[in-house]
Amino acid sequence: MKLWSQFFIPTLKESPADAEITSHKLLVRAGLVRKLTGGLYTYMPLGLRVIHKITELCRQEMDKAGAIELWMPHVHPVENWMQGPRWEAAREIMFRADHAGAGKRAPRDPEFVLGPTHEEIITPLVKSEITSYRDLPKNFYQIATKFRNEIRPRYGLMRAREFIMKDAYSFDADDAGATRSYQLMKAAYEAFFARVGLKAIAVEADTGVMGGSFSHEFMVPAEVGDDDVVYCEESGYSANREKATSGLVPADLKDAEPAGAVEKFATPGVVTIASLEAAPYSVPGDKQFKTLVFVGDDKPFIVILRGCDELEEAKLGSLGFKLFRPATPEEIEPVLGAKPGSLGAVKGTIKNPAVLAGIFADHAIRLIGNGVTGANEDGFHLRNVNVARDLAITRFGDFRTVKAGEPCPKCGAPLKSRRAIEVGHVFKLGTKYSEKFNAVYTDDQKQTHPMVMGCYGIGISRTMQAIIEQSHDADGILWPWSVAPFQVLVCLLDPQDPAASEMAKKLGAAAERAGADVLIDDRAERPGVKFKDADLIGIPLRITVGGRGLKEGVVELKARDQKDVVKLPVAEAEARVAEAVVARMG
C-alpha cells in the first residue's frame, strides 16, 4: 500500500505541445513518462509499475511456452553484424557506439553498434554451446532495451529511439520442429495480449529485412495506428498492408489480344498520371502503365503498375535485392532516355536496356490489356501498348497496395481496411542466420546440418501505450486490471480527520489482502482535484472516504469504467471492497 503524498505522480492539466495522439498525451499528463529529447523517455514511477507488470506477464507466457530467459549485451561488435546477412540494410537504422574521446576521430565503419535486435549475437552464442541434436530444440529470450535510429521519432513510445522489447530466438533440428516452435510462440503471444487486456489480431506480414519464409504481426486496431490491416469478415483473412493481396486479378484471366499497332502521340507538359487523365487526352488511370525506376544493389530496375495503383514498396523485397531505393532523375535518363513523366518499358524504346537488373510488372497490369505508357522520349506517349506483345517483362509479381473494397483472395467478399498498431512480430527465419554463422548440429548419423531458426518480438513499452490508445475516455486512461499501476485508489477526502484516515487504511488493507495493489490519495487537495486525477491515471476501482460520508454511515465505491457510484454501509465496506477486488481479478 502506497500513500500518494509519499509517492511521485506528477500529473498535468494540459497536454504537451508535441503530443499528436491521445495515448501520447495521456502518457505525459498521467505522469507515466517524461521526455528527454526526441524518441527518448524516462519512465516515471507510475509508468515503471505498468512496465513491470507487462514484463512479468510476458515472462510468464514465455516460460510457459518453454522459452529460457537470458540477457545479452546491448553493445555489439560490428564484426558480428558484418558477418550476418543484413548489415547493409540494417545499418541504416542503427546507432554506432564508438569512443567519444575528443582525440579520436570516428572511422567510416563503427567498431561497435547498439543492438536493435540480437540475431547476430544469439546465433554465434548457440553455435559455440550447442552441437548435438540431443540439445535441440531450444528457445532463448530476453526482455531488454533496444535501440533504433529513428530519423523522425514521434507518437511517444510508438516510434522511439530507445525502447523495451522482448525478443526470443528458437533453434530446431528441422523445418517441422521450427514450425512447431513458431506455433508455440504464436499461441503464447495470443495468451499474453489477452492477459494484458489488448484486443490484438495476428495478420500475415512481410518478413522485411529480417528475412525468412513467413511471419505474422500482432496488431491492435486503433484510429491512429502506424500501419494498415486489410481483412475480410467473411473468410477471416487478414494481413498488414505490406503483405496484403486481393482477388482483383482472376486466376483464369487470359491475356488481351492487341488492339492495334503501337502509336506515338505528343503530350507536351504531361508528366503525371492525372495530367494524362485530363482533357484533351482523357486516358483513365486504369488504362495507363505507371513506370517506376529503382536501383537495387547498384543496378537499375523497372517496376510497372497500373496508373490507378500505388506501389507497396516493401513488396519489392521479394525481388531479392539486399538494398534498393528509388532512382534519381539523373540516374534514370541515361538508362531510359527520358526524364520521369515520359517513361515506359516498350520493347525497343529503352535507351540502354543492357544495364537493367530486370523489368518487373504487377499482375494487375494484365487487366489493362492495351493501354498508354511513356515513349521514353520527353513529351511523348504511346497508345495501343499490349502487355503480352509489347512489354519485355522479366517477371510478374504482387507489388501494389491493396485497396478496401477489392475482393478477398479467399472468398471474394469485399475487403476492409483499418489502422492498427503493431505490438508484436513472429518470424520463421529458416537457416538464413545459422548458415552465415555456421551454427550447425550433428545428427544421430554424425551428419551436420544448419539449425532452423525463428525469432519473436514483443514491444513491451509500445504495448503500454497501445493499451492506453485502445482503453481511454475523455477523462483519462482506463487500465485493464492486470497491468494497472495500482488497482485500487482510496480517495481520502479529509486526511486531517482521524476517523476518515483510519477507515481509508482499513479499506486499503482489505483490498490488499484480497490481492490488489493499493494507493491512498492522502493529499490535502480539493475533492474535485482528486477525482480528476483518479480518472486521469485510470485506476480501476476508486473508494471514496470522507468525514461527511462516515457520519452518514457510508463510503463510496466506483469502477473507473462505469458511471454509477455505489454507497457501501461502513459495517459492510471491508467485505464488499474485498468482493469487488476478487470479482475484478476473475
Side-chain angles (χ1 to χ4, degrees):
M1 189 160 26
K2 300 285 186 184
L3 298 177
W4 193 310
S5 63
Q6 296 175 16
F7 203 59
F8 188 65
I9 309 174
T11 60
L12 300 175
K13 292 182 179 179
E14 302 296 330
S15 299
D18 65 340
E20 301 175 66
I21 63 176
T22 301
S23 56
H24 186 189
K25 295 174 183 178
L26 290 174
L27 274 172
V28 180
R29 286 193 58 218
L32 299 167
V33 302
R34 285 295 182 265
K35 180 179 176 181
L36 173 62
T37 189
L40 299 175
Y41 288 86
T42 296
Y43 295 90
M44 304 298 275
L46 208 64
L48 191 60
R49 288 180 69 92
V50 178
I51 288 291
H52 284 164
K53 290 190 175 186
I54 294 172
T55 298
E56 182 54 30
L57 291 173
C58 183
R59 179 175 287 115
Q60 289 173 14
E61 293 304 324
M62 290 298 102
D63 292 347
K64 193 185 300 181
I68 305 163
E69 188 170 11
L70 47 61
W71 183 278
M72 290 177 278
H74 304 327
V75 179
H76 301 172
V78 75
E79 289 83 2
N80 283 55
W81 282 82
M82 294 178 76
Q83 183 179 345
R86 55 174 175 164
W87 167 240
E88 291 303 326
R91 68 182 298 175
E92 299 301 319
I93 54 92
M94 295 175 72
F95 286 107
R96 63 191 303 151
D98 291 336
H99 190 278
K104 181 174 180 179
R105 186 174 181 179
R108 181 178 179 275
D109 281 323
E111 297 175 18
F112 297 94
V113 292
L114 297 180
T117 60
H118 279 65
E119 285 80 3
E120 285 77 2
I121 308 305
I122 191 69
T123 311
L125 172 68
V126 169
K127 170 196 172 181
S128 67
E129 300 293 335
I130 295 177
T131 58
S132 171
Y133 73 98
R134 295 185 181 89
D135 297 319
L136 297 173
K138 284 289 185 293
N139 188 345
F140 299 101
Y141 79 96
Q142 64 176 350
I143 301 174
T145 304
K146 299 289 187 291
F147 303 88
R148 179 184 175 95
N149 187 11
E150 286 281 0
I151 296 174
R152 191 187 173 203
R154 60 189 305 204
Y155 300 150
L157 304 178
M158 292 292 187
R159 194 175 296 172
R161 290 185 167 124
E162 179 182 298
F163 51 95
I164 303 167
M165 188 171 91
K166 186 284 304 176
D167 49 321
Y169 308 92
S170 63
F171 297 82
D172 282 272
D174 54 29
D175 191 71
T179 299
R180 286 192 294 272
S181 293
Y182 184 94
Q183 295 301 337
L184 272 173
M185 284 291 98
K186 188 167 177 283
Y189 276 41
E190 289 166 351
F192 165 71
F193 289 121
R195 290 185 70 186
V196 300
L198 268 180
K199 294 172 183 155
I201 55 176
V203 303
E204 294 178 21
D206 181 65
T207 57
V209 70
M210 297 297 296
S213 54
F214 56 82
S215 72
H216 285 83
E217 283 178 346
F218 284 79
M219 308 293 287
V220 175
E223 292 181 7
V224 291
D226 53 359
D227 206 347
D228 290 306
V229 172
V230 177
Y231 63 99
C232 174
E233 294 177 337
E234 299 293 328
S235 70
Y237 171 78
S238 62
N240 72 3
R241 188 187 66 189
E242 296 176 345
K243 184 72 173 179
T245 62
S246 77
L248 184 69
V249 182
D252 58 355
L253 178 70
K254 294 180 180 179
D255 290 329
E257 295 294 328
V262 174
E263 299 177 8
K264 184 166 70 172
F265 62 103
T267 51
V270 173
V271 293
T272 65
I273 298 294
S275 297
L276 202 56
E277 285 181 308
Y281 309 104
S282 303
V283 181
D286 61 1
K287 292 297 182 182
Q288 298 184 44
F289 297 99
K290 181 187 294 185
T291 304
L292 306 174
V293 186
F294 282 77
V295 176
D297 299 341
D298 298 324
K299 292 198 71 176
F301 66 92
I302 291 172
V303 180
I304 307 174
L305 304 170
R306 294 188 305 168
C308 59
D309 288 331
E310 295 299 324
L311 174 69
E312 189 57 55
E313 196 166 310
K315 291 183 177 181
L316 298 184
S318 65
L319 299 177
F321 298 107
K322 291 180 181 178
L323 283 175
F324 59 85
R325 59 170 175 80
T328 64
E330 293 75 22
E331 292 170 317
I332 292 172
E333 194 166 7
V335 178
L336 272 75
K339 298 182 181 67
S342 299
L343 305 180
V346 172
K347 298 171 186 176
T349 68
I350 299 173
K351 181 177 181 181
N352 193 2
V355 303
L356 289 171
I359 299 174
F360 306 100
D362 185 79
H363 290 295
I365 71 164
R366 296 176 58 228
L367 296 171
I368 298 176
N370 295 278
V372 174
T373 191
N376 287 325
E377 183 179 342
D378 292 335
F380 288 90
H381 281 72
L382 302 173
R383 62 167 61 98
N384 295 332
V385 174
N386 179 264
V387 173
R389 180 191 66 187
D390 302 317
L391 299 177
I393 307 300
T394 305
R395 181 173 122 200
F396 281 92
D398 175 25
F399 306 120
R400 59 186 291 278
T401 299
V402 170
K403 301 183 183 76
E406 292 178 13
C408 170
K410 289 186 176 181
C411 72
L415 290 168
K416 296 183 177 181
S417 177
R418 67 174 303 176
R419 300 293 289 170
I421 301 164
E422 180 191 349
V423 288
H425 209 149
V426 291
F427 296 86
K428 186 180 176 186
L429 293 176
T431 59
K432 177 178 178 177
Y433 292 84
S434 54
E435 288 178 356
K436 282 286 186 180
F437 289 96
N438 196 32
V440 299
Y441 70 94
T442 304
D443 66 16
D444 57 356
Q445 302 297 313
K446 306 301 182 184
Q447 300 295 311
T448 60
H449 309 273
M451 300 179 201
V452 186
M453 293 176 57
C455 72
Y456 320 93
I458 289 176
I460 299 294
S461 47
R462 178 177 269 232
T463 293
M464 177 170 77
Q465 187 169 341
I467 292 170
I468 298 172
E469 191 65 44
Q470 195 173 75
S471 301
H472 69 269
D473 62 14
D475 297 315
I477 304 168
L478 291 92
W479 286 115
W481 184 272
S482 61
V483 297
F486 293 96
Q487 291 148 334
V488 172
L489 174 66
V490 182
C491 272
L492 176 56
L493 300 186
D494 300 299
Q496 75 286 353
D497 184 329
S501 295
E502 183 64 24
M503 177 56 68
K505 291 176 184 176
K506 281 185 178 181
L507 296 178
E512 202 166 55
R513 286 193 300 271
D517 291 329
V518 179
L519 176 67
I520 297 179
D521 187 352
D522 62 335
R523 296 175 296 166
E525 287 283 1
R526 300 187 309 277
V529 172
K530 293 192 174 192
F531 293 154
K532 281 188 175 296
D533 277 348
D535 285 343
L536 176 61
I537 66 176
I539 296 175
L541 287 179
R542 187 185 81 204
I543 304 165
T544 302
V545 179
R548 180 187 299 177
L550 289 182
K551 289 178 182 177
E552 296 174 358
V554 296
V555 295
E556 294 180 349
L557 176 66
K558 182 183 182 300
R560 175 65 182 86
D561 58 357
Q562 297 174 11
K563 292 183 178 180
D564 295 337
V565 175
V566 179
K567 293 185 181 294
L568 306 179
V570 168
E572 302 174 10
E574 289 182 62
R576 295 278 295 275
V577 165
E579 288 173 5
V581 169
V582 171
R584 285 276 173 157
M585 292 175 65

